Amino acid sequence: MSQSEFEVTNPATGDVIAHVPDQGRADARQAIERANAAFASWSTTTAYQRAAILRRAWQLMQERKQDLANLMTREQGKPLKTAAIEVQYGADFLLWFSEEAKRQYGETIPSARADQRFIVQHHPVGVVAAITPWNYPVSMITRKIAPALAAGCTVVLKPAEATPLCAVEIFKIMQEAGMPDGVLNLITASNPVPIGEEFCTNPLVRKITFTGSTAVGRKLSADAAPHLKRVSMELGGHAPFIVFADADPVHAAKGAALIKFLNTGQACICPNRIYVHRSIEKAFLKTFTERVERLAVGNGLDDGINIGPLVNRAAVEKVSRQVEDARSKGAEVLCGGGELEGKGRGGHFYLPTVLSNVSPDMIIYREETFGPVAAVVPFDDNDDIVSMANDTNYGLAAYVYTRDLSTAMRTFEQLQFGIVGINDINPTSAAAPFGGMKDSGLGREGAREGLNEYLETKLGGFSI
Ligand code: NAP
């Protein structure tokens, strides 16, 4: 087993806050073997036994909400209050799937033959290998392990290098809740490549579930394909946010300011192109810019902070490059537009920024931003707006503001996105299917569909 360690740093200060084991391919292989050994007994426990453990984990996570939130803020940077909301969201998956575990219903199907009966059952797929990102270091983990465990699968999880500490705490909770040895296995690593290779090629792994960038998701899918492993891919996004002429511009601007700057803009469902009808653009921009200017940037542990640091220096550079490119091509910077001076030293802070007059020739119009920069694009013709919104390789989240029911329904049906918020900036819940179309991925998490991702369908044909 590997003996070395890697550092975990606080992105608000640059301070090293912990060290965790730096594991490699051999560790991943052993973890897969442990998960495989545990599969026979875990998969034959009753759904009621699995549900009881998940429910206890839900209770423990709620009791430790503040401690987990504090750890998340130090490790990932988001303000304490939003970290606590994420812990609750993460815990919700444990409760939801503890309940869904008991609803793996099969069916009987009438046969054309009098002497034949068809019965369909659902069985766990086997060992699951999971890889998660740093932006939601609790909920991206529970959104995978809760349904996998509920289904009767065993799991090996590799969390992001930047946020292994939340994963360690979740595993402690699961163990205290009564998870048997070998069912849930953690691999922390500074180099994800050999771990991903082992996950994709080891014949004992039957399913890969990944949340992260489209580039890495594509590579993992390609590596898993020759081995015919099932894959679920929750990937990047480039969300349109459409404000029609009949919408209330103030209400829409308040919603846009909340969802755009969620998690410092580091969420896959953050709007990337905010299309506002030209007739209400001025009113929209006034409220929007006022709201954004009021956002307080700093260390998420301090009172009153709304915007934490970006994850690392490369993220600041990516955002700066997008803003400079847009500015050079005619966008106007209404607020922000640079790094935080002075108190941001040591951390990776970028000021909340509003760009107006953004156009399709700018990098920000196509590339995922993953930072606190809002790109506002005026539009004139309602007939063009859906094709403009769909003009992206991504298809995760989209938002629509209108007071007209027909416009709402038509736009909802025509948008090529897996999640559409209609006058709603928070269309997410453990009970609702989350996932994307096109380059945003394959499969859904949460909801009943989230459980199906971990189940095989088995048909029994009985001749009687
Ligand atoms: P990323 O670079 O793809 O990393 C995600 C995870 O994959 C991390 O654990 C990472 O490990 C690992 N990884 C990287 N390269 C790998 C490889 N070659 N083989 C195996 N594993 C590998 O993505 P990110 O920058 O951390 O996360 C941001 C992206 O995630 C954005 O595009 C965002 O839209 C997307 N996201 C999507 C959803 C969704 O539900 N659709 C939710 C959240 C985020 P290391 O940390 O060690 O690099």
Side-chain angles (χ1 to χ4, degrees):
M1 294 288 277
S2 168
Q3 296 301 314
S4 58
E5 295 187 322
F6 66 93
E7 292 176 348
V8 183
T9 55
N10 181 336
T13 61
D15 295 341
V16 175
I17 54 170
H19 291 84
V20 294
D22 196 359
Q23 296 179 288
R25 188 161 183 165
D27 302 281
R29 191 175 308 127
Q30 287 180 25
I32 291 166
E33 284 161 6
R34 277 197 304 277
N36 187 56
F39 180 72
S41 60
W42 181 247
S43 60
T44 50
T45 53
T46 67
Y48 283 78
Q49 289 168 309
R50 298 196 295 274
I53 295 175
L54 288 170
R55 196 181 170 90
R56 271 201 297 280
W58 166 71
Q59 273 163 345
L60 286 171
M61 192 173 279
Q62 298 208 100
E63 285 164 20
R64 295 186 198 164
K65 194 193 291 186
Q66 283 315 318
D67 290 347
L68 261 169
N70 197 289
L71 178 68
M72 193 192 303
T73 299
R74 293 196 303 125
E75 176 179 52
Q76 194 270 342
K78 70 182 64 173
L80 208 44
K81 208 166 121 189
T82 41
I85 293 171
E86 190 202 327
V87 177
Q88 183 60 56
Y89 179 53
D92 288 349
F93 289 101
L94 297 169
L95 179 63
W96 169 265
F97 284 108
S98 77
E99 292 160 347
E100 283 302 290
K102 296 175 256 175
R103 299 184 193 121
Q104 293 177 33
Y105 303 133
E107 57 183 341
T108 60
I109 298 172
S111 168
R113 270 175 32 210
D115 68 338
Q116 189 181 46
R117 303 289 182 271
F118 285 134
I119 294 179
V120 175
Q121 288 186 349
H122 299 291
H123 291 251
V125 293
V127 174
V128 172
I131 300 179
T132 51
W134 46 267
N135 61 342
Y136 285 87
V138 168
S139 56
M140 294 302 98
I141 292 178
T142 54
R143 203 161 76 171
K144 295 188 185 305
I145 65 173
L149 296 168
C153 297
T154 55
V155 180
V156 181
L157 168 81
K158 190 209 83 67
E161 177 191 357
T163 56
L165 301 180
C166 283
V168 169
E169 290 308 307
I170 293 171
F171 272 59
K172 282 185 194 158
I173 285 174
M174 300 305 287
Q175 196 178 19
E176 282 179 50
M179 198 58 69
D181 286 349
V183 172
L184 193 54
N185 304 273
L186 181 64
I187 291 290
T188 52
S190 65
N191 181 4
V193 176
I195 311 297
E197 284 169 358
E198 186 63 28
F199 283 1
C200 290
T201 55
N202 190 314
L204 298 177
V205 173
R206 294 313 319 147
K207 160 109 194 177
I208 309 276
T209 172
F210 172 77
T211 298
S213 61
T214 297
V216 174
R218 211 187 288 282
K219 180 180 179 340
L220 293 172
S221 300
D223 290 352
H227 306 273
L228 295 178
K229 296 187 196 304
R230 290 158 168 264
V231 294
S232 290
M233 295 281 149
E234 294 288 346
L235 308 177
H238 205 278
F241 187 109
I242 305 170
V243 187
F244 283 99
D246 66 76
D248 173 354
V250 171
H251 182 56
K254 288 178 183 172
L258 281 169
I259 184 69
K260 172 64 231 183
F261 294 93
L262 182 73
N263 204 21
T264 313
Q266 302 172 112
C268 48
I269 59 167
C270 283
N272 277 258
R273 291 162 289 145
I274 303 176
Y275 294 106
V276 184
H277 195 272
R278 208 180 292 275
S279 62
I280 56 165
E281 189 193 11
K282 209 168 148 198
F284 176 91
L285 283 174
K286 180 173 181 299
T287 303
F288 188 56
T289 310
E290 279 168 9
R291 291 258 154 175
V292 176
E293 279 173 331
R294 264 193 260 152
L295 296 171
V297 184
N299 188 326
L301 290 176
D302 296 340
D303 280 346
I305 293 298
N306 312 103
I307 297 282
L310 288 167
V311 62
N312 53 30
R313 187 68 214 160
V316 174
E317 282 163 10
K318 180 182 178 192
V319 167
S320 303
R321 182 173 53 81
Q322 289 190 355
V323 171
E324 287 323 308
D325 170 78
R327 205 196 303 251
S328 73
K329 291 173 181 162
E332 202 180 333
V333 181
L334 300 185
C335 66
E339 293 183 45
L340 178 70
E341 303 287 336
K343 67 176 179 169
R345 212 165 292 135
H348 310 294
F349 292 101
Y350 197 89
L351 290 169
T353 298
V354 177
L355 301 176
S356 66
N357 274 327
V358 168
S359 53
D361 57 326
M362 298 173 188
I363 294 171
I364 198 165
Y365 194 92
R366 304 247 166 239
E367 188 180 82
E368 194 180 25
T369 297
F370 239 57
V373 180
V376 180
V377 188
F379 75 95
D380 297 294
D381 193 342
N382 284 5
D383 291 341
D384 296 339
I385 191 60
V386 172
S387 49
M388 286 168 74
N390 284 338
D391 181 22
T392 169
N393 292 335
Y394 293 110
L396 187 58
Y399 304 87
V400 178
Y401 273 69
T402 176
R403 285 187 276 205
D404 182 82
L405 183 59
S406 307
T407 305
M409 184 56 83
R410 254 201 318 274
T411 313
F412 167 64
E413 289 178 354
Q414 291 168 354
L415 283 169
Q416 295 160 356
F417 293 82
I419 303 162
V420 183
I422 310 285
N423 301 316
D424 183 10
I425 51 159
N426 190 19
T428 56
S429 152
F434 186 106
M437 303 177 179
K438 294 155 76 177
D439 284 358
S440 290
L442 297 168
R444 294 293 179 268
E445 293 191 321
R448 187 185 315 150
E449 286 167 270
L451 190 67
N452 293 343
E453 299 279 324
Y454 298 96
L455 293 170
E456 290 276 12
T457 296
K458 185 182 278 184
L459 171 71
F462 292 75
S463 187
I464 57 172

